[in-house]
């Protein structure tokens, strides 16, 4: 299994440009998540999905959109890039819902480092 | 809401030194507690976890005990190695939701 894969690894955008960060998992996990990690900070949840066709906002969703057309893929879209979106973005997945399985583990991808100038 | 406070870094140790990274939390109900490690240029990996009071999580020589009375989950290792150099994140998951709440991370550097 490749686990959670993310592309690209690095990207520089100009203000106002748009892009899609790709995320895929091959573990047949129902739940997928997008986090951002700002320097010296912990991870903050942007969006999550509990299954194909179902997504919901996390703590910091403004400026982002997501879709989940398949179980495997969970792309994150930035429509009008702003310098405040300069961050490292991590995708993660897990099998089920925490409240039903306290041993449920989130598996993380290697991250995408995005700079908006 | 839920929150995690972990000791500020960076922490610099010599090889074979004893490591403690403090972590305290605020949460309603009975959260599960985690330590994640992030090696340079990589994503986060689960290091260890504990799901109820007095549980001890352990992995790769690291240990942490879930202390409900002090709301703490301190990470310890008796003898660190250069390969342990990484950023360590304490995190919790509330008893009734999916969401992981992370601390700010502690950078550990181990010198030979």
């Amino acid at each position: 299994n490749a686990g959670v894969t993310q592309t690209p690894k690095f990207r520089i955008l100009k203000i106002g440009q748009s892009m899609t960060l790709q995320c895929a998992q091959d573990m047949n996990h129902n739940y997928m998540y997008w986090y951002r990690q700002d320097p010296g900070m912990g991870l903050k949840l942007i969006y999550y999905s509990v299954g194909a066709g179902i997504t919901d906002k996390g703590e910091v969703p403004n400026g982002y959109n997501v879709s989940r057309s398949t179980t495997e893929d969970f792309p994150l879209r930035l429509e009008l890039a702003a310098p405040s979106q300069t961050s490292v973005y991590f995708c993660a997945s897990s099998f089920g819902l925490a409240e039903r399985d306290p041993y449920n583990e989130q598996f993380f991808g290697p991250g995408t480092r995005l700079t908006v100038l | 809401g839920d929150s995690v406070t972990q000791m500020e870094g960076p922490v610099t140790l010599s090889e074979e030194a004893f490591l403690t990274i403090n972590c305290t939390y605020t949460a309603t109900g009975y959260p599960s507690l985690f330590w994640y490690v992030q090696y340079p240029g990589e994503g986060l990996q689960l290091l260890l976890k504990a799901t109820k009071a007095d549980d001890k999580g352990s992995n790769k020589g690291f240990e942490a005990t879930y202390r409900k009375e002090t709301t703490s989950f301190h990470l310890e290792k008796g003898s660190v190695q250069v390969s342990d150099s990484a950023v360590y994140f304490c995190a919790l998951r509330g008893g009734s939701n999916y969401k992981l709440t992370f601390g700010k991370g502690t950078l550990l550097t181990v010198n030979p």
Side-chain angles (χ1 to χ4, degrees):
Chain A
N1 286 350
V4 180
T5 56
Q6 292 182 239
T7 56
K9 283 190 166 54
F10 305 94
R11 185 72 185 269
I12 298 174
L13 285 182
K14 294 182 179 177
I15 294 172
Q17 286 186 318
S18 61
M19 77 164 293
T20 299
L21 281 66
Q22 301 292 343
C23 173
Q25 54 90 10
D26 62 359
M27 297 175 281
N28 202 29
H29 283 171
N30 296 317
Y31 286 71
M32 296 187 75
Y33 315 82
W34 273 106
Y35 294 89
R36 59 177 287 171
Q37 182 185 27
D38 297 325
M41 304 294 290
L43 279 70
K44 292 192 183 297
L45 184 67
I46 304 172
Y47 270 95
Y48 70 101
S49 168
V50 303
I54 306 170
T55 63
D56 208 348
K57 296 177 181 178
E59 296 174 85
V60 290
N62 291 345
Y64 307 94
N65 279 300
V66 293
S67 60
R68 185 97 180 270
S69 56
T70 66
T71 300
E72 295 77 19
D73 300 299
F74 190 41
L76 178 72
R77 178 89 178 154
L78 283 71
E79 290 295 349
L80 290 170
S84 61
Q85 293 177 305
T86 295
S87 190
V88 181
Y89 291 84
F90 289 101
C91 180
S93 71
S94 64
F95 184 73
L97 177 61
E99 67 187 66
R100 293 196 177 90
D101 179 5
Y103 294 94
N104 203 350
E105 176 181 347
Q106 289 191 16
F107 293 82
F108 285 79
T112 294
R113 185 175 295 275
L114 176 67
T115 302
V116 181
L117 301 174
Chain B
D2 296 344
S3 68
V4 174
T5 302
Q6 62 181 103
M7 67 185 283
E8 297 276 332
V11 173
T12 303
L13 296 173
S14 298
E15 211 164 20
E16 299 184 3
F18 184 85
L19 169 70
T20 299
I21 301 178
N22 290 338
C23 172
T24 57
Y25 67 90
T26 303
T28 55
Y30 301 94
S32 297
L33 301 174
F34 306 84
W35 276 100
Y36 280 84
V37 58
Q38 183 180 29
Y39 298 104
E42 298 184 13
L44 278 71
Q45 302 173 27
L46 180 65
L47 180 60
L48 53 84
K49 60 192 174 191
T51 58
K52 60 183 187 297
D54 299 326
D55 267 2
K56 179 186 281 188
S58 61
N59 186 26
K60 299 182 181 179
F62 292 88
E63 293 184 340
T65 301
Y66 188 145
R67 300 283 188 205
K68 192 165 170 56
E69 64 277 11
T70 54
T71 61
S72 65
F73 193 54
H74 304 322
L75 182 69
E76 296 182 337
K77 186 174 186 183
S79 175
V80 294
Q81 306 300 313
V82 173
S83 57
D84 294 326
S85 298
V87 180
Y88 292 82
F89 291 92
C90 186
L92 72 82
R93 186 172 57 221
S96 60
N97 66 69
Y98 60 91
K99 179 174 162 293
L100 279 175
T101 299
F102 286 87
K104 292 185 178 181
T106 302
L107 173 63
L108 169 67
T109 302
V110 180
N111 294 319

